[in-house]
Amino acid sequence: MEKVRELIDRLESQRILTKEEFCFLIESIEPEDRVYLYERARSQARAVYGNAIYVRGLIEFTNFCRNDCYYCGIRRGNRQASRYRLTREEILECCKEGYALGFRTFVLQGGEDPWFDDDKIAGLVREIKEAYPDCAVTLSVGEHSYETYKKWFDAGADRYLLRHETANPEHYAKLHPSAMSLAHRMQCLRNLKAIGYQTGCGIMAGSPWQTSENLAEDLLFMRDLEPEMVGIGPFIPHHETPFKDKAPGTLELTLLLLSIVRLMLPRVLLPATTALGTIDPIGREQGVLAGANVVMPNLSPLNVRKKYMLYDNKISTGAEAASNIAELRQRMEAIGYEVAVGRGDYPGSKVIPSAPSTSRS
Ligand code: 5AD
């Protein structure tokens, strides 16, 4: 359709559309125009990053969580979840293994687990940065105070992932218990940016009750926040949650959103997520071909990997495992991309060198 083409071209040249236009694009796009949109997004990613795909080693270090998000398999209310915490030694061992495999970013992800208090997390960050001064550390441990975020940043954390989940407060309230609010989530994101983190927000594609208007609001919020990273994966139900009977998000919607985000924020670090690889065996390849430029293989120890089940059937072997980076490399090469070595920072971001005297590079 001509109008859809015109919107895609304008999104590429002006980097923005109105809320109504985003809605129209999301609702009216046909298969031919999707192919065109993916192509434009891919060419944008190529212009910024060439054919490099950045990898991050994901360490899921605790599945204890004080929150009770209705969609999430590690919500507090899930009594069936078998809970674990990695020890400091186990976490450092993951980094050691990851470093040897070529990873230069470690993502420490976990539930909001009060056992890992501010000092414990700061200590972990400090130890990792001391042992691997040429690596970036990304934290993804939920909502905390400005002071806490600052403490971790001062300990050496470079980046922080905190999906906003939805930019619409009513929709947010349908996904979370009343103890949580969108306003607080957004304040956290603003604080992270103000402190100096490379900051990631994001959503699930096809979360229950999500409308195209909600998605348009998400896009406008992203444009306003200007995050360095955006995480988007399909919602996938987990059988021990209130959303167990909800329909999953689709591959098509996820790819559509990835490519729109790429055109709107050309330099953004955009992962082809594990959830995308879970709903489709070549989901991550398709994500890359729609403008994604990051993959986050799993570095967690084998014996806990099945316990970090945010949703049913989450993949954790094959190219998803960090130890199989060779397979990932082959799969990326098969579609014309190369797994890059290096931290893969947001272009132009100020990188604070840690412990320059012991730097290996
Ligand atoms: N399906 C897909 N993604 C999920 N997440 C949590 N639960 C699910 C699910 N059931 C995502 C959330 C969270 C991130 C860590 O994982 O968006 O921010």
Side-chain angles (χ1 to χ4, degrees):
M1 209 206 305
E2 214 150 295
K3 169 119 191 262
V4 167
R5 282 276 162 135
E6 190 263 322
L7 289 178
I8 295 171
D9 290 337
R10 190 141 51 80
L11 177 59
E12 180 172 0
S13 60
Q14 318 253 297
R15 309 279 177 224
I16 192 69
L17 297 176
T18 65
K19 184 167 164 183
E20 291 68 34
E21 289 168 335
F22 274 131
C23 277
F24 184 85
L25 176 60
I26 292 165
E27 287 173 5
S28 319
I29 190 161
E30 299 282 346
E32 312 85 72
D33 293 322
R34 283 179 200 266
V35 174
Y36 178 69
L37 175 63
Y38 300 160
E39 224 172 73
R40 296 318 309 148
R42 188 153 83 218
S43 115
Q44 210 44 250
R46 285 243 169 198
V48 179
Y49 291 102
N51 69 344
I53 299 296
Y54 290 107
V55 288
R56 284 65 168 98
L58 185 59
I59 304 169
E60 296 157 337
F61 70 98
T62 172
N63 72 350
F64 284 86
C65 191
R66 66 182 173 198
N67 289 326
D68 218 13
C69 309
Y70 302 140
Y71 45 83
C72 184
I74 65 166
R75 65 198 300 267
R76 184 182 64 206
N78 180 7
R79 297 296 164 81
Q80 301 308 314
S82 148
R83 305 286 171 174
Y84 73 91
R85 292 182 179 105
L86 298 186
T87 63
R88 162 191 167 276
E89 290 74 19
E90 286 171 319
I91 295 168
L92 290 170
E93 188 55 37
C94 289
C95 295
K96 185 174 174 190
E97 202 181 306
Y99 193 90
L101 289 164
F103 289 89
R104 294 297 177 268
T105 293
F106 301 118
V107 181
L108 292 184
Q109 184 171 89
E112 288 186 21
D113 177 0
W115 188 86
F116 280 100
D117 60 20
D118 295 2
D119 288 333
K120 284 204 188 78
I121 302 257
L124 277 170
V125 171
R126 216 171 269 120
E127 283 197 86
I128 296 171
K129 295 291 286 195
E130 246 161 54
Y132 308 101
D134 54 340
C135 292
V137 171
T138 304
L139 291 176
S140 179
V141 290
E143 297 182 18
H144 297 273
S145 68
Y146 181 98
E147 291 69 32
T148 298
Y149 286 152
K150 180 78 168 79
K151 186 182 272 187
W152 296 340
F153 186 77
D154 291 339
D158 301 275
R159 311 187 188 132
Y160 203 102
L161 303 176
L162 180 66
R163 290 190 182 172
H164 63 288
E165 313 296 356
T166 171
N168 179 288
E170 287 83 42
H171 185 219
Y172 193 92
K174 292 181 175 164
L175 304 181
H176 303 95
S178 58
M180 297 174 73
S181 77
L182 179 60
H184 190 256
R185 180 69 58 118
M186 286 186 168
Q187 189 56 54
C188 286
L189 284 164
R190 308 263 176 215
N191 289 347
L192 290 163
K193 289 268 307 186
I195 290 167
Y197 283 97
Q198 295 173 48
T199 303
C201 67
I203 58 168
M204 295 179 285
S207 62
W209 298 290
Q210 183 181 64
T211 62
S212 24
E213 195 182 344
N214 293 153
L215 289 171
E217 291 164 335
D218 287 320
L219 293 165
L220 293 174
F221 169 69
M222 290 175 197
R223 172 68 204 229
D224 181 58
L225 180 70
E226 290 191 79
E228 285 78 16
M229 289 103 61
V230 170
I232 300 178
F235 162 72
I236 303 172
H238 185 290
H239 65 285
E240 291 289 348
T241 64
F243 289 174
K244 61 173 187 278
D245 296 322
K246 302 290 178 198
T250 62
L251 175 72
E252 286 68 32
L253 180 62
T254 310
L255 297 177
L256 173 70
L257 293 169
L258 288 172
S259 52
I260 291 176
V261 170
R262 171 59 67 205
L263 289 182
M264 187 174 72
L265 302 168
R267 296 183 299 166
V268 79
L269 291 157
L270 193 61
T273 57
T274 305
L276 188 55
T278 298
I279 56 162
D280 190 293
I282 54 165
R284 264 146 341 150
E285 281 91 339
Q286 297 192 72
V288 167
L289 294 172
N293 71 325
V294 172
V295 272
M296 300 170 64
N298 201 309
L299 261 182
S300 312
L302 259 179
N303 63 315
V304 302
R305 230 176 264 172
K306 292 233 175 315
K307 298 183 179 173
Y308 202 82
M309 276 293 160
L310 305 182
Y311 43 83
D312 287 341
N313 305 314
K314 181 170 160 249
I315 52 171
S316 62
T317 55
E320 174 52 26
S323 55
N324 289 345
I325 184 129
E327 182 186 339
L328 180 65
R329 199 170 280 129
Q330 278 169 8
R331 288 176 64 160
M332 290 297 128
E333 281 168 10
I335 55 167
Y337 289 81
E338 251 176 87
V339 169
V341 282
R343 294 174 30 133
D345 287 286
Y346 186 74
S349 60
K350 185 167 46 159
V351 173
I352 303 160
S354 67
S357 56
T358 58
S359 173
R360 301 166 185 225
S361 56

